[in-house]
Amino acid sequence: MSGDRYAYLGPEATFTEAALLQYLDSHDLGSSASTQPMRNGAAALDAVLDGDCLAAVVPIENSIEGGVPATIDALTDHGRLQIIAEVVVPVRFVLAVKPGTDPSTLTSFGSHPHGEAQVRTFMSANFPDAVYLPTSSTAAAARDLANNAADHVAAVCPAIAAERYGLEILANDIGERQDAETRFVVVTRPGTIPPPTGSDKTTVVASLRSDRAGALLEMLEQFSSRGVNMSRIESRPTGDGLGLYQFSIDLLGHVHEARVADALQGVHRVTRSLSFLGSYPSASKTTVPLDPTTTDDSFAAASAWLDSTLNA
């Protein structure tokens, strides 16, 4: 296995590569690691399972568009992977051209449809006559422009793409939502779970036993009764028939915390299946406030009471 190789959803110079570089830098791994763009998220995860890469970085959630179904489904289908970290990257778009381009000649621009949708206000106000030409990705718009392989005159892309391909940035932060963010996860083969930090997340996938009234509520009560908050829940079809769904869930807390462990045991009892995908430090570093009745000490006290009662 190439222990210092990291896969990511390609192509190069996307927000996903920016997330990977941010992760490597924060763990002082930049000097020893190599990166490998993959054609899709499933291929990146396959590279980890096959031992070709130590870890993979894939997007899982966007603050505007919600969860990334392809990643959620790939993580669920692989079943033998573990999330060890998350990285949150601000989604900032720039307008880039080949060096020396006269802005008055900007008659067209290329970008991925998701990128174009977020810059319509800026482009309409500043380049109302520019024609939009779709590209396979925002990074591809910059790459093809730099390589003289594009029909567009400008690219709407991440700053990392403009810099990578030697383009000139005409305008920064041209997106309509300045607070837009994408959340990425770092995935490895199963191993040691990162220790609790006090600001953690746990990701699981649960399938309901049947399509009946109250089945979802029964599962959710396992969390609420133990003070475990969910930061994300996504429903995805199981593929086994209409009305049968599985739920990808992010919990605020760590599996080594008594309240989270107890809740997961409860969910395991009332669902058809439960897959644990990892407990890992939250990128927000925000400490989860706990009710006094849901702290580890309260669970330990309850266990001690039961032991003393039974052994009296």
Side-chain angles (χ1 to χ4, degrees), residues 96 174 188 239 274 280:
I174 63 175
T188 66
L274 178 64
Y280 47 91

Side-chain angles (χ1 to χ4, degrees), residues 61-69 112-115 117-118 180-182 234:
E61 183 181 12
N62 180 271
S63 61
I64 295 178
E65 299 175 5
V68 181
H112 187 276
H114 288 173
Q118 296 188 49
E181 296 177 315
T182 297
E234 304 272 348

